[in-house]
Amino acid sequence: MKYYCLIAGLPEIEIDDNKLSINISDFREDLRSQLSDKDNQLIDLLYTQYDNQNLLRYLNDKDAELDTRGNLTKEELEEGIRLISEDEDPKNKHFPPYFKTFIEEFKETQTAVESTRWENRISELYYQWAMQNKNKFVSKWFEFNLNLNNILTAYTYRKYQMETEVVGDNEVAQSIRGSNQRDLGLTGTIDNLEELQRIADESDLFEREKKIDLLKWSWLDEETFFEYFTIERIFAYVIKLGIIERWANLDHEEGKKIFRELINRLKESVVKEQEL
């Protein structure tokens, strides 16, 4: 399906824009009435990342404030969890099928949330599900992100001589797990590997995050170059809006938060290695 009027009317955006006339939540609502049911489901995939975060928050604290950008309201999330606990399948179309697997695994442990472990697990399930999508561009986008995250994480952890935490089981993930080489065994597999090495070596966390988003932006431009009025163009536009919105809201305190999260992850890895 072609979206001539919709795409022709989209404002031009650049990654260095410091403000937006619309946020991604409002834009999602605008899209609902203009896209086909099939294409709305593709856009929902992007917003499922917020549902992932909300599920983690809720399981850790039922009174936690949830991100309104998710597809599921708090009431819908609670209802889905209740049905799964009663061995029933949620009927809500926005309730990802892998939530059932995740919730059951979490409840089996009978322990408090270990942030890194559970974040990685839900990310793994999310990517596995999204990469199976029949839309080749969408599937390719999620695999690109999976590979990007795994490679950068691997370089960061190896820099501190720690065991790499790899998500997923695709070719790149398997190569990282099985290689002790500087190139992670990926030379010839990943075209921009040297660029990723330089990004991983960036000591300024703000610059590092910016370079990652620039890489994603460039990938989207390249992959949608010949997609003029398609859902792929809209899909990429939503991602770009999210990137701009993130940087527009990012301040010094957020930068310190990113740093603390990175340090906490490394500390958790140290504790795990000491316990083994």
Side-chain angles (χ1 to χ4, degrees):
M1 184 172 178
K2 302 292 185 180
Y3 297 99
Y4 299 102
C5 294
L6 172 58
I7 293 177
L10 292 176
E12 291 291 330
I13 55 175
E14 299 293 339
I15 194 169
D16 56 356
D17 291 341
N18 56 16
K19 62 180 180 179
L20 292 170
S21 58
I22 187 172
N23 59 46
I24 61 173
S25 294
D26 293 338
F27 187 61
R28 180 69 191 100
E29 292 307 311
D30 290 344
L31 287 179
R32 288 194 188 280
S33 61
Q34 302 184 64
L35 302 181
S36 68
D37 289 344
K38 180 180 178 181
D39 289 341
N40 264 313
Q41 291 175 12
L42 293 179
I43 301 301
D44 284 343
L45 265 176
L46 289 174
Y47 289 79
T48 298
Q49 62 183 302
Y50 306 115
D51 293 315
N52 292 341
Q53 297 169 12
N54 286 339
L55 178 60
L56 285 169
R57 289 176 187 170
Y58 183 84
L59 291 175
N60 194 37
D61 178 7
K62 291 181 174 54
D63 296 321
E65 183 177 350
L66 303 186
D67 194 325
T68 57
R69 291 174 293 182
N71 296 307
L72 295 165
T73 65
K74 185 173 185 178
E75 291 72 25
E76 290 172 329
L77 184 62
E78 289 175 332
E79 176 65 9
I81 294 173
R82 182 188 67 79
L83 289 171
I84 288 173
S85 67
E86 296 174 357
D87 203 26
E88 295 184 34
D89 292 327
K91 301 298 189 291
N92 191 317
K93 66 179 182 179
H94 289 134
F95 209 88
Y98 63 86
F99 268 25
K100 180 175 174 24
T101 300
F102 182 84
I103 292 168
E104 289 175 345
E105 288 180 3
F106 174 79
K107 288 185 177 297
E108 282 178 5
T109 65
Q110 297 297 314
T111 60
V113 172
E114 299 170 27
S115 58
T116 302
R117 172 189 174 187
W118 291 113
E119 286 171 12
N120 286 345
R121 180 53 177 154
I122 201 166
S123 292
E124 181 175 42
L125 293 170
Y126 176 47
Y127 283 122
Q128 286 176 350
W129 179 56
M131 285 163 52
Q132 292 173 6
N133 195 277
K134 293 181 180 179
N135 183 295
K136 292 183 179 179
F137 168 77
V138 171
S139 175
K140 192 174 181 180
W141 162 253
F142 281 101
E143 183 160 25
F144 167 76
N145 274 270
L146 175 65
N147 293 340
L148 177 66
N149 293 337
N150 275 335
I151 291 170
L152 291 176
T153 299
Y155 280 130
T156 300
Y157 274 71
R158 289 189 178 189
K159 181 179 180 180
Y160 292 95
Q161 298 181 334
M162 296 177 181
E163 184 177 352
T164 303
E165 296 187 15
V166 182
V167 174
D169 197 39
N170 66 348
E171 180 182 355
V172 171
Q174 291 178 11
S175 179
I176 294 173
R177 288 192 184 98
S179 175
N180 292 318
Q181 302 172 39
R182 166 64 177 167
D183 69 350
L184 308 175
L186 295 175
T187 297
T189 302
I190 300 296
D191 295 333
N192 55 355
L193 189 60
E194 290 185 3
E195 182 178 2
L196 292 177
Q197 290 174 339
R198 290 192 294 270
I199 292 175
D201 289 336
E202 176 60 62
S203 59
D204 186 309
L205 288 177
F206 270 98
E207 284 301 312
R208 186 177 188 271
E209 290 296 311
K210 195 72 173 182
K211 288 176 180 178
I212 292 172
D213 282 344
L214 280 169
L215 183 63
K216 291 179 179 180
W217 194 287
S218 297
W219 188 94
L220 291 167
D221 282 343
E222 182 178 334
E223 293 294 326
T224 59
F225 188 79
F226 295 107
E227 299 288 348
Y228 301 110
F229 299 102
T230 64
I231 185 59
E232 287 79 7
R233 174 75 67 168
I234 297 171
F235 191 93
Y237 193 87
V238 173
I239 297 169
K240 289 180 175 181
L241 278 181
I243 290 174
I244 296 174
E245 186 173 277
R246 174 176 179 243
W247 283 100
N249 295 329
L250 199 63
D251 55 19
H252 185 64
E253 286 303 313
E254 185 65 20
K256 289 195 293 185
K257 178 183 176 184
I258 292 173
F259 179 76
R260 287 196 300 270
E261 288 176 351
L262 176 61
I263 296 302
N264 287 337
R265 286 176 181 271
L266 293 175
K267 286 181 177 178
E268 286 180 4
S269 294
V270 171
V271 171
K272 287 180 182 178
E273 290 183 2
Q274 291 176 341
E275 290 176 345
L276 292 178

